Amino acid sequence: MSQNVIIAQSYFNAIAKGDFDTVRTLFADDVVWHQPGEGVQSGTYKGMDNVFNHLGNFMKWSNGTFAIDNIEYTTDNGDLVLASIHFEAEKANRKLSMKGVDLLRIEGEKIKEVWLFSENIQEEDDFWNHVANN
């Protein structure tokens, strides 16, 4: 297993435990996060503080229920690591449950850039737009 896959797995393990102190040690200070879609959650977030605020919104908007509950596999190609995941959240009698792909670029043993892909971005946008306002 490559060092980059180990770093990515450490990130997902920390996220699963809610261990954001560890997540902070794995991100580069100038990390860039690309969130797909057209929803309240969508956009490009630059820098550790902005990314952490963004991640915090997922927990706030879902009353702490957002979780990556399964990682099917991880694989790498040089400085890129891909993870096939499943994620879910629930709030206001609505449930979000779908597959996705996270692509992480690792540089200098830090996660430098993250791109997310959702199985159904319109459904995800609808969920976050609804729960963020309730």
Side-chain angles (χ1 to χ4, degrees):
M1 182 177 317
S2 77
Q3 180 64 27
N4 287 343
V5 169
I6 291 168
I7 291 167
Q9 288 178 337
S10 296
Y11 160 74
F12 287 111
N13 290 339
I15 289 287
K17 295 179 202 170
D19 180 0
F20 288 97
D21 289 337
T22 296
V23 172
R24 188 173 289 277
T25 68
L26 296 169
F27 281 165
D29 289 337
D30 58 349
V31 63
V32 178
W33 186 280
H34 304 276
Q35 187 78 39
E38 306 274 329
V40 66
Q41 83 289 0
S42 303
T44 298
Y45 301 86
K46 296 179 181 179
M48 185 89 68
D49 290 342
N50 289 327
V51 170
F52 267 79
N53 287 338
H54 174 64
L55 296 175
N57 280 335
F58 285 124
M59 299 311 285
K60 178 176 75 175
W61 294 334
S62 69
N63 286 339
T65 64
F66 176 80
I68 297 172
D69 61 344
N70 185 44
I71 299 170
E72 188 175 341
Y73 65 89
T74 55
T75 188
D76 68 323
N77 184 345
D79 63 350
L80 300 176
V81 177
L82 179 137
S84 175
I85 67 166
H86 184 271
F87 60 96
E88 62 183 17
E90 192 169 345
K91 185 180 175 191
N93 296 320
R94 295 179 68 117
K95 182 164 181 153
L96 175 67
S97 178
M98 71 177 60
K99 294 178 181 179
V101 171
D102 289 3
L103 180 65
L104 289 70
R105 183 171 64 84
I106 299 175
E107 181 181 295
E109 297 189 355
K110 297 284 187 179
I111 298 169
K112 184 82 168 176
E113 202 160 5
V114 178
W115 293 266
L116 305 180
F117 302 84
S118 297
E119 182 178 32
N120 184 332
I121 191 58
Q122 182 62 50
E123 182 181 327
E124 184 179 1
D125 285 348
D126 290 347
F127 175 83
W128 292 117
N129 288 343
H130 179 80
V131 300
N133 297 314
N134 288 310

